[in-house]
Amino acid sequence: MPDAVMRLWRGDVRGGAFREYRVPTEEGMVVLDVIHKIQATQAHDLAVRWNCKAGKCGSCSAEVNGRPRLMCMTRMNLFAAGEPITVAPIKTFPLIRDLVADVSFNYQVAKTIPAFRPGPGEPDGTFRMMQEDIDRGQEFHKCIECFLCQNVCHVIRDHPDNMPFFAGPRFFVRLAALEMHPMDEAARAEYLRLKAGLGFCNITKCCTEVCPEHIKITDNAIIPLKERVVSEHYDPIVWTWRKLTGRK
Amino acid sequence: MPASELTATATLRKDTWWLEPLLIVLGLGAFVVYTTWAALQGAHYEYKNYLSPFYSPTLKPSWWPFSPAILILWGPAGFRLTCYYYRKAYYRSFWWSPPACAVRDARSGYTGETGFPLILQNIHRYFFYVATAFLIFLWYDAIYAFVFDGRFGVGLGSVIMLVNVALLSMYSFSCHSCRHLCGGCLDRFSSSPLRYRLWRIVTTQNERHMLWAWLSLVSVALTDVFIRLLSMGIIRDVRFF
């Protein structure tokens, strides 16, 4: 097989540039394999975050030829032989070094999510759930927190000023899982509208396009949440009814 | 992060990311131009038992000097304008916000749908109700298209109008707001088995909402073109029986 031509971002907060490496490749390699080979043979100080190499830990997120991907799930035969392959760190979050970005913004957002609040349950102290009640939430639980959706979301990627007011797609998935949970009784519409900035999302579906777990983030989480917020805040009939009756 | 190749370029993508927005601009642009022209004509919108969907229901009050289409087209236009699929399409293609994934927004500031006028997108479900009311008229028109001089018959126009209203129905009832109202708003499906079943049916079609959006867009325009050409005497209808 011909050598792979890899253009890797090398640098830190002070600056950097793409540097080219030529690497012998073998059948079945993924981009992360090639990165490891470069690290082992040509650039021992290359910083790269990874863990499971199986698409389940969500650590090796990067931008390969400009597209947000997991490096461990991006096969080398996706690219034309000999074609230079650009690998850059995820762009939305502050760069630490080389291919590693600081994703702690997401952990700060996670702390603000109103927690699961179960209702009183059955008189016998249990809470019975049917399969159909929890099927919908299973999709949301597949999230591996790779933050590719957060990275590609233009609301914060191109407008970092919005970061304090926008939770991002990963957390809309989390909020959808909580909101649609049959036991949960917490009200999150106000949080979604005012704190999580659901209205910033213009449903251009990039989060769905890049999700390695194929979660239909926009159709199954964000839009249903938007509809719930509409029922709470923007429905003129409900609004008129509340004004007339004084009910909340 | 200091300015560098990493942050200075709009995108590092090498594929033809610009093709999809370009095709949407051409497709939606052509539809909007044609529909506006057809709606402003106020003529050649009916032929015997066929009525153009742009003019159904036909309201012709004496005080209205313009085309009757203007009085009604706000309904279906509002439904498409606030539709979750079309929002994605035109935000990407016309506003470049963003033009494609991991391609920089064209504008420096961004508030999404939090302020006027885009906050009005939240009334989509009311346009869904309006569009559903329009469907009743369109189904009546489609059935009436099979009645020739008081007797049942089938012409090419009858088939076109039937296909058109079927596609419009699929588009309307696969809508995200419809999905929410049918059962998506529930947390416990087991307590409402009928609504759960309905939600599952709508969900299967909601996954094809983009397809129905485009097919119905093309069919509604072609139906008008067909009836317009018949009315102008440029083509003749084909009667199957």
Side-chain angles (χ1 to χ4, degrees):
Chain A
M1 289 184 76
D3 287 359
V5 182
M6 306 295 290
R7 293 182 70 239
L8 307 189
W9 176 260
R10 300 302 311 270
D12 56 23
V13 288
R14 290 167 295 179
F18 284 100
R19 202 174 297 171
E20 195 169 294
Y21 299 90
R22 286 180 178 272
V23 197
T25 55
E26 294 161 30
E27 187 85 31
M29 275 183 139
V30 294
V31 169
L32 186 60
D33 292 327
V34 179
I35 299 286
H36 280 159
K37 204 157 190 174
I38 293 169
Q39 202 180 38
T41 58
Q42 301 178 49
H44 307 301
D45 61 342
L46 174 66
V48 56
R49 182 186 285 132
W50 67 282
N51 195 354
C52 76
K53 256 188 81 177
K56 287 297 163 197
C57 74
S59 302
C60 62
S61 301
E63 302 197 2
V64 183
N65 279 353
R67 298 196 72 137
R69 293 175 181 277
L70 292 180
M71 286 189 283
C72 71
M73 299 303 284
T74 307
R75 295 177 71 96
M76 288 298 288
N77 64 6
L78 198 67
F79 310 102
E83 168 201 319
I85 300 167
T86 304
V87 184
I90 48 176
K91 188 180 173 186
T92 301
F93 304 110
L95 180 66
I96 296 176
R97 193 160 67 86
D98 299 339
L99 302 180
V100 180
D102 175 6
V103 294
S104 57
F105 161 80
N106 300 291
Y107 307 127
Q108 298 306 317
V109 175
K111 289 177 190 171
T112 70
I113 305 286
F116 177 66
R117 200 175 74 204
E122 311 281 343
D124 63 0
T126 64
F127 193 101
R128 291 174 182 82
M129 286 185 282
M130 298 296 119
Q131 186 61 43
E132 60 264 34
D133 293 331
I134 56 165
D135 277 344
R136 188 169 38 169
Q138 296 298 318
E139 179 188 17
F140 305 139
H141 298 161
K142 290 194 300 178
C143 177
I144 58 172
E145 296 209 314
C146 61
F147 302 126
L148 286 176
C149 58
Q150 299 284 89
N151 170 58
V152 80
C153 180
H154 72 119
V155 177
I156 50 177
R157 180 185 177 93
D158 298 325
H159 311 283
D161 293 351
N162 289 332
M163 276 181 147
F165 320 108
F166 186 67
R170 188 281 165 264
F171 297 101
F172 294 137
V173 168
R174 171 80 182 131
L175 284 155
L178 289 166
E179 275 291 289
M180 296 173 192
H181 195 289
M183 280 179 75
D184 182 75
E185 290 198 340
R188 297 181 184 81
E190 199 71 6
Y191 171 85
L192 278 162
R193 191 171 68 96
L194 298 175
K195 299 272 172 55
L198 188 65
F200 278 96
C201 172
N202 67 347
I203 49 175
T204 40
K205 286 199 175 182
C206 287
C207 49
T208 304
E209 277 189 29
V210 302
C211 179
E213 285 293 319
H214 307 294
I215 302 170
K216 290 174 182 163
I217 300 173
T218 319
D219 286 317
N220 291 347
I222 296 178
I223 294 174
L225 287 177
K226 275 186 177 259
E227 286 293 321
R228 285 173 183 233
V229 171
V230 168
S231 296
E232 282 296 312
H233 292 285
Y234 300 115
D235 189 322
I237 291 176
V238 173
W239 183 84
T240 309
W241 175 253
R242 284 175 178 166
K243 283 284 174 196
L244 289 174
T245 61
R247 290 183 191 172
K248 292 205 170 180
Chain B
M1 192 188 296
S4 63
E5 195 180 344
L6 203 57
T7 51
T9 51
T11 185
L12 293 171
R13 283 180 64 169
K14 298 173 177 176
D15 57 337
T16 53
W17 59 264
W18 45 267
L19 186 60
E20 187 184 318
L22 177 68
L23 290 175
I24 289 173
V25 164
L26 292 175
L28 280 184
F31 178 80
V32 169
V33 168
Y34 175 75
T35 307
T36 308
W37 176 82
L40 292 174
Q41 294 307 299
H44 299 300
Y45 55 81
E46 55 189 340
Y47 175 78
K48 294 182 180 171
N49 53 337
Y50 300 156
L51 175 63
S52 163
F54 292 158
Y55 288 80
S56 179
T58 310
L59 303 178
K60 285 197 260 189
S62 56
W63 48 265
W64 182 254
F66 307 109
S67 165
I70 299 170
L71 285 174
I72 58 157
L73 276 186
W74 60 269
F79 184 52
R80 293 206 184 240
L81 201 66
T82 58
C83 162
Y84 286 101
Y85 165 67
Y86 283 112
R87 273 145 79 177
K88 173 202 165 189
Y90 63 73
Y91 283 141
R92 279 197 186 191
S93 307
F94 288 88
W95 293 31
W96 284 43
S97 178
C101 302
V103 180
R104 184 181 294 154
D105 276 18
R107 290 167 185 77
S108 54
Y110 176 84
T111 54
E113 297 177 343
T114 58
F116 186 81
L118 295 181
I119 200 167
L120 294 177
Q121 303 277 28
N122 288 303
I123 60 171
H124 180 55
R125 72 174 59 165
Y126 289 90
F127 279 114
F128 165 68
Y129 298 143
V130 171
T132 305
F134 273 86
L135 277 178
I136 296 168
F137 291 102
L138 291 171
W139 272 106
Y140 173 84
D141 296 338
I143 293 165
Y144 191 66
F146 287 86
V147 181
F148 294 85
D149 301 322
R151 296 172 64 183
F152 177 76
V154 180
L156 181 57
S158 324
V159 175
I160 288 174
M161 287 181 70
L162 184 67
V163 169
N164 176 52
V165 76
L167 290 172
L168 287 169
S169 301
M170 293 307 292
Y171 169 58
S172 296
F173 293 115
S174 63
C175 148
H176 292 83
S177 289
C178 174
R179 185 184 180 214
H180 173 79
L181 295 162
C182 285
C185 54
L186 301 172
D187 291 340
R188 296 185 73 174
F189 283 134
S190 58
S191 58
S192 306
L194 261 179
R195 290 185 73 185
Y196 174 54
R197 203 173 299 170
L198 198 58
W199 176 81
R200 285 184 66 178
I201 293 168
V202 174
T203 295
T204 59
Q205 295 313 308
N206 179 255
E207 289 167 2
R208 300 178 181 90
H209 194 50
M210 180 180 80
L211 176 71
W212 297 126
W214 279 105
L215 288 178
S216 62
L217 192 84
V218 171
S219 79
V220 78
L222 288 182
T223 306
D224 180 83
V225 169
F226 181 76
I227 294 168
R228 189 168 296 279
L229 294 178
L230 284 177
S231 171
M232 293 169 77
I234 296 172
I235 60 169
R236 297 177 72 178
D237 191 23
V238 179
R239 279 291 296 276
F240 299 115
F241 60 88

